[in-house]
Every structure is written in structure tokens, then in C-alpha cells.
Amino acid sequence: MTTVTTAPYGTWPSPVGAALAASHDGRPEYLGAVGEDIWWTAPRPAEGGRRTLVRRSPDGAEESVLPPPWNVRSGFTEYGGCPWAGVQGADGRPLVVFVHFPDQRLYGWEPDEPGAVPRPLTPVSGTGGGLRWADPVILADRGEVWCVLEEFTGPAPTDVRRTIAAVPLDGSAADDRTAVRELTGDGHRFSTGPRLSPDGSRVAWIVWDHPRMPWDGTELLTGSVTDDGRIEDVRVVAGGPEESVCQAEWAPDGALLYLSDAAGWWEPYTLRPGEESPRALCPGRGEEFGSALWKPGMRWLAPLDDGLIAVVHGKGTAVLGILDPASGDVVDAAGPWTEWAPDLVVRGERVTGVASGPDRGYEIVELDTRTGHTRVTGAAHRDPVDPAYYPRPEVRTFTGADGREIHAIVHPPHHPGYTGPDGERPPYVVRAHGGPTGRYYLAFDLEVAYFTSRGIGVAEVNYGGSTGYGRAYRNRLRGNWGAADVADCAAVARALADEGAADPARIAVSGGSAGGWTAAASLTRPEEFPYACGTIVYPVLDPLAWADGGTHDLESRYTDSLIGPVDEVPERYRERSPLHRADRITAPFLLLQGLDDAICPPEQSEALLERIAGRGVPHAYLTFEGEGHGFRRAETMVTALEAELSLYARTFGFERPDVPALELTP
């Protein structure tokens, strides 16, 4: 019988250490089938944060096939995209093409050739960010790999053009930019990679232009592929300024399948050969079958040979289902997984994806559509500690001041051997996700367990603007960034305090990237909720700087929709900016910043510190060499997590001898 000890919240001992949490950061990504094998990229936090390629054969053997220093990761638009592709050659041996992160060149590699090493396929450019590649498709019969190219034309982050291009597989373009064939020109600012029809005669891709973001409005284009490998007869088949198409694929019979939010939710449509009007395959379900197209190569939909379609769908979560396009019925896969990533691969009657649940990390799962049987086939979850220490998440819907819904995942403090004293309410951390067009997932997260197992609750807020709840919910942030997100987080904090779940004097706010903006903005608005402290991670702090070339190209016009065109509402930018409201910050805070961050550069964090200098606000500023937007190195994540816990211990009034004391300077 387990003895339960009573001890103050925040002081409980836990086997979930920062190093353990860091070692489980990241997930398998970018699945692909090469012959009978399944390949994917996998994180290696202990190896400088690189990503390797993993290969799983039908007999279950799983191996990391690229040793250090190879790093399979694209820098496309700074966020990346699918960085590899593979095919089985006529001799049965695989050919793999991948992007190596340090130089962003495409490399070709025959892994089963004895002594073979990756060989460069593309040149290096010394202009700006150089040449970057993503979303490749190998056309072995043409001797080319087709992908989307991002080419910098000058030193500024917005001096960039994008086009679909064909790269020779023979290496003739390795030192010759002119050997790269451009297929679509640069008439659009942004593009995904190409999707070829089964017979190779048609191609589809998605484009959009400033100031729209891809979840605001995109266009789906199709064209004919000529015998000599050119694209002609290009036309728009779906999308527009207020319609977002996030994925397109070809069915085995030549029909075009795509995901569009024309009806308010991302739903599947089909356009058959010779037809002019698309057909919605399962309209009106009030669910998302897609999400924000942050990176090219995401796959929420995959057609099977028998006409059925594998789909990732849900409201606030994402599960795997099989859609019958004739009836519109969707049958979900059985199993404990509550979140399926947009990473579907189909081989015959089998669908393979990446899935997680509250008590299991992301793993490779295969569904046999004939039997309905699911099984783990790769990257299998293994409990690093007793599952009794895992959080017990609660999916909640809170109510805002105007009656609006606010979605959140609440993780109360939980420990199998400890409980808090009678009458003591636990401390909580209210977390704001990045994006801001994104969401929190009902998935295994040891970083959450790091806090909950020590007696600190975590509330992850999917504030207005988050994905997963339809376009109207997503559009709530339009013109309201720094207001609606702050108010929604505050409403959750107040509700937890009012219902007695949290100590109102011991609630912190935290977030990274756009979540860092929300955390910082929340500290400047104590009238919304008086947070005790905050953790601000690689934040956006000055949207005026963003609108004036202070960030990368993808998000350089993002504030047009989030706040408003800067020339029309300049005062709104200053009113919302945490940098320009820094004089209102009185709560202690921790600021964490990667020094190589091109999206939220360290200059903004440094400007905030200048604004609070001499004002007596306790704070700590930790910077990390070699880290960009999103920490990837194990040692960085350990330092950041322990510093955050130390901030809460100091602010909330309990001792944590298991972490270094964080020094706060006024």
C-alpha cells in the first residue's frame, strides 16, 4: 500500500528531472516509404540538437542511418519543411535526397552502396541566407528531384524569392546554379513543393502572397507537365483571399484531393478529371481535417489504392480516421492515441503515421485498414519513469467576460506519493502557445510532468486565434493580438483561482515565441490578472520592428492581420507592444533567448532590458550561443527548465535544492 505524504505544493520530490525531459524533446517527423521500408527524421538533443534519418525494415530492425555531423533539416522560411525524399531504384536499392542543415545544400545518397557517402547536388550561394530547399519529390525517370527553392537575392531577410525547381540527380548543379531548372517562376511570394499525378502528366501546388498568411488565404494551382519537363496551362482551381487550402494530393484514379476551409473548417474536397466544380466529401461535421500550413510537406490526408482516404481530423484534438468518399462516413482507428501528427504515409492497405497520447510519446503507428488493427511499428514509447508520475490532463472549456468560449488543457498537480496540505491551494503556470496560429496538444509532455510532479499545476491555453476550432475561432485574434490572447489567458487564471483550484497569489504566466509576446504583454497588464511572475522565451516584443524588416520573410507581414496595417493603426502597435509598456512591469520575470534567432532576434530582448533598467524589477536574462528559434540542445533545455523552476520556487516561496538558484537582478 502506497503511503501518501503531505507536503507543501512545489516541494514534492520527483524522478522527472530536467535532463530526462530534455532527452524526450522532439518527435519523429516527415515519414516516408522507400520500398518496403519506412523512414523518418528523429531528434538527437544530446548530439547538438541535430536530426538524423531513421530507417525501419519490415523485420522490425530500426537504425539511425546518418551519423554525426549530418543534420537532416531544412531552413526554409526559418521554420523548415520536409527535408528529404527517397525512392527505390530499378536495382531495388534506395536513393535518398536530403537537406543538410549547416550548408542547406541538397545531397544525394545511395545508402546500400558499400562505402557510399552523401554527395552534393546543389551549389552554395553567398547572398543573404543562400539557397534553401524543401518538400522534394524524386523523379528518377527524369533524373531530377523537384522541390521548392528559396533563394536570397540580398542581405535583408525579406530579400528572397521562391519557385519550384528541378535539380539534376547527377550532381551537375553542385557548383552551377544555372543547371537548376526553374519550373514556375517567382510570380508568388510563397509556394509549397509539387505534387505529381500518378501518371506524371499533372502537377499541383499551393501559393500565397503578402500580407496573407497561409491560414488566411492561399490558392491551389494545377498545371500540365510536358514531355520535356516543363509546366504549362497553369490555373487556379481553389482558394482565395479568405479561403485557405493547406494540402493537395492526387488520388490513384487521377482525381485531385485537397483540404480547404471555404465552409469555415478545413474539410476534404475532390475535383475529378474533366469536372469544373469540386465536391465536399464530408461537409458540416464541425471538425478540422487540416491545420495551419507552417511548413511545406505536412500531410493530414492520404489516399489509398481502394478509393478510401486516410485523414487526421477532430475538434481540439486530431485522430486518425478512414474516410469513405462515397458516403462521407469516417471510421476512426482504435487505440490510446489522442494526437496524430500531419505525417501520413500509405502503402497498399496500410496507413502509417506518428501519434501520441497523454501517457505515451509520439511513436510510429500502423493501421491495417482491412482489419482495423493498429500496432506500433517504430520509435516505440518506453516509460522513462513510472507512469504514476505523469500528468492527468483535463480538457476544459472556460468562459470569457463576453461569454466567449476559451479552450484549454489543465494539468493539476499530481504525484502518486504526495499531496498538498489541507487548505493550501497549489501554484499554477498559465502557458500561452507559440504561433500564435497554433495550439496545445493532448499529448505526452515530460516538461509538463516536470512541474506537475513537483506540485505545480500547468494550464495550457488555446486562446482565441488557435487552430483546431474552426476559422471563426481562429479569426478572433485578427486585430486583437496582445488583447484577446492576454484576456483569454487571464480568464483561465481567474477561473482556476475562483473555483479554488489555484492559489490566486501564486499564478505565473509563460510562453515562447508568440507565446512569449503573450506572457510579456500579460505582465504589462496586471489589471487583466496580477501574475506573480513570468517566463518569457525567445519572444516577440516589438511588432513595429517586425513590420520594418526586423524578422524573417514569412512573418514579416503577419502583424497586418494580427494587429492591423501599421500605416493605418500605428498607435495600436505601441499600445500593444510589451516593449513600449515595459514601465508597467512590476512582477519578477525570466527571459530566455537564443543568440542565433532570426525570427525573434535578441535585439528585442535586449531592448526590453534597457527599458526596465534601474526600475527595481527582479529579473534574469539567460542567452544561449548556437540556439535559434526553438531550443534544440539538451544542455540548453536543461538550463532553461531548471531556471524556470527556480524562478517559481523563489517567487512562490518554497525551496528547491535540486536546481541551481536563479539570481535575479533589479
Side-chain angles (χ1 to χ4, degrees):
M1 183 175 179
T2 302
T3 300
V4 177
T5 301
T6 299
Y9 290 106
T11 67
W12 304 344
S14 173
V16 183
L20 184 66
S23 69
H24 286 73
D25 186 74
R27 66 169 178 83
E29 198 171 15
Y30 301 120
L31 264 65
V34 184
E36 293 299 312
D37 297 346
I38 292 291
W39 294 55
W40 63 88
T41 69
R44 295 290 185 263
E47 298 175 11
R50 78 180 186 101
R51 293 192 72 90
T52 187
L53 267 177
V54 176
R55 177 183 186 180
R56 182 196 181 278
S57 56
D59 63 4
E62 191 175 308
E63 62 173 331
S64 177
V65 294
L66 274 174
W70 295 108
N71 188 353
V72 185
R73 177 182 159 209
S74 170
F76 189 81
T77 71
E78 304 299 339
Y79 285 119
C82 183
W84 79 279
V87 295
Q88 190 173 39
D91 60 359
R93 295 181 174 181
L95 167 65
V96 173
V97 172
F98 68 91
V99 179
H100 180 44
F101 185 72
D103 60 16
Q104 287 298 293
R105 301 174 85 180
L106 276 176
Y107 285 78
W109 181 43
E110 295 81 24
D112 289 353
E113 291 290 335
V117 295
R119 50 188 174 79
L121 301 180
T122 57
V124 173
S125 168
T127 302
L131 304 174
R132 298 175 178 178
W133 313 84
D135 213 3
V137 177
I138 298 174
L139 283 70
D141 57 336
R142 294 187 181 275
E144 295 178 326
V145 54
W146 288 16
C147 46
V148 58
L149 162 64
E150 179 177 70
E151 180 173 24
F152 283 79
T153 59
T158 53
D159 293 338
V160 63
R161 59 189 295 270
R162 298 175 185 89
T163 184
I164 294 177
V167 175
L169 288 170
D170 62 8
S172 58
D175 296 304
D176 183 5
R177 170 66 178 82
T178 64
V180 175
R181 290 196 308 121
E182 296 192 9
L183 301 173
T184 59
D186 55 4
H188 293 281
R189 190 72 172 192
F190 301 97
S191 174
T192 65
R195 293 293 178 266
L196 277 295
S197 62
D199 64 3
S201 67
R202 303 282 295 166
V203 61
W205 68 104
I206 297 168
V207 298
W208 69 98
D209 293 286
H210 281 320
R212 285 177 286 164
M213 297 299 287
W215 41 87
D216 296 325
T218 62
E219 292 179 337
L220 173 58
L221 307 182
T222 62
S224 300
V225 180
T226 65
D227 291 341
D228 58 354
R230 292 177 293 108
I231 297 177
E232 295 182 340
D233 304 322
V234 176
R235 68 187 185 100
V236 179
V237 297
E242 291 292 326
E243 179 186 351
S244 168
V245 177
C246 63
Q247 187 193 351
E249 301 289 343
W250 298 91
D253 63 359
L256 180 63
L257 302 171
Y258 64 92
L259 297 171
S260 166
D261 70 348
W265 299 79
W266 276 299
E267 297 173 333
Y269 291 78
T270 184
L271 182 62
R272 302 195 60 77
E275 296 182 353
E276 292 296 323
S277 299
R279 177 172 66 90
L281 295 179
C282 51
R285 290 174 61 98
E287 293 182 336
E288 300 281 36
F289 287 77
S291 192
L293 181 61
W294 278 103
K295 301 180 291 186
M298 304 170 84
R299 298 190 300 273
W300 296 269
L301 170 154
L304 284 82
D305 292 342
D306 59 7
L308 299 177
I309 304 169
V311 292
V312 172
H313 72 107
K315 181 178 180 181
T317 57
V319 298
L320 175 65
I322 300 299
L323 165 63
D324 182 345
S327 66
D329 294 334
V330 179
V331 177
D332 290 341
W337 305 283
T338 53
E339 292 288 353
W340 286 74
D343 242 325
L344 299 181
V345 172
V346 167
R347 293 180 303 161
E349 296 168 316
R350 288 177 165 81
V351 180
T352 304
V354 182
S356 177
D359 58 354
R360 56 198 311 118
Y362 282 100
E363 50 195 353
I364 312 299
V365 182
E366 180 187 82
L367 166 66
D368 185 331
T369 60
R370 293 175 307 160
T371 65
H373 178 67
T374 53
R375 66 187 182 107
V376 176
T377 59
H381 171 81
R382 291 178 175 83
D383 290 314
V385 296
D386 186 335
Y389 291 93
Y390 296 166
R392 301 294 189 264
E394 302 170 358
V395 178
R396 300 279 305 271
T397 301
F398 296 90
T399 303
D402 58 358
R404 68 187 182 280
E405 288 187 344
I406 304 168
H407 300 284
I409 303 173
V410 177
H411 307 267
H414 175 78
H415 191 295
Y418 278 80
T419 187
D422 289 343
E424 181 185 347
R425 298 184 186 184
Y428 256 82
V429 182
V430 172
R431 302 175 78 185
H433 61 71
T437 308
R439 68 176 174 92
Y440 282 112
Y441 303 97
L442 189 59
F444 180 77
D445 188 343
L446 278 181
E447 186 174 311
V448 173
Y450 180 79
F451 293 108
T452 57
S453 62
R454 286 168 168 77
I456 303 171
V458 176
E460 299 178 311
V461 184
N462 285 327
Y463 48 81
S466 301
T467 55
Y469 308 98
R471 188 177 185 107
Y473 193 83
R474 201 164 73 243
N475 284 352
R476 270 178 31 189
L477 209 58
R478 281 192 175 181
N480 290 313
W481 193 39
D485 50 327
V486 170
D488 284 0
C489 288
V492 171
R494 280 195 305 273
L496 291 172
D498 291 346
E499 66 190 34
D503 182 345
R506 295 193 296 169
I507 299 179
V509 63
S510 75
S513 188
W517 154 278
T518 301
S522 295
L523 294 183
T524 71
R525 298 180 182 274
E527 68 276 10
E528 291 282 359
F529 188 85
Y531 294 102
C533 61
T535 301
I536 305 167
V537 188
Y538 39 81
V540 183
L541 294 172
D542 184 7
L544 278 171
W546 261 41
D548 191 28
T551 189
H552 64 145
D553 188 54
L554 175 65
E555 294 179 277
S556 61
R557 299 290 302 278
Y558 198 178
T559 56
D560 280 36
S561 58
L562 290 174
I563 299 176
V566 67
D567 57 342
E568 296 178 13
V569 291
E571 288 306 312
R572 188 184 296 170
Y573 279 69
R574 296 184 62 85
E575 170 61 22
R576 301 276 179 80
S577 168
L579 187 60
H580 294 285
R581 295 174 58 91
D583 60 318
R584 305 188 185 193
I585 298 177
T586 58
F589 67 88
L590 168 65
L591 182 56
L592 303 169
Q593 178 69 56
L595 293 179
D596 294 345
D597 195 335
I599 298 172
C600 295
E603 287 79 8
Q604 292 204 14
S605 289
E606 292 159 6
L608 177 65
L609 298 178
E610 291 177 4
R611 297 291 179 94
I612 66 164
R615 295 190 51 251
V617 179
H619 67 278
Y621 180 46
L622 303 184
T623 60
F624 303 96
E625 293 277 359
E627 291 283 16
H629 199 67
F631 300 151
R632 296 177 179 274
R633 298 177 177 178
E635 59 270 25
T636 299
M637 290 183 277
V638 168
T639 298
L641 201 53
E642 290 184 341
E644 185 175 359
L645 177 60
S646 184
L647 171 70
Y648 301 150
R650 180 165 178 166
T651 306
F652 296 157
F654 53 78
E655 297 291 329
R656 287 302 326 184
D658 54 339
V659 297
L662 180 68
E663 294 187 9
L664 299 179
T665 59

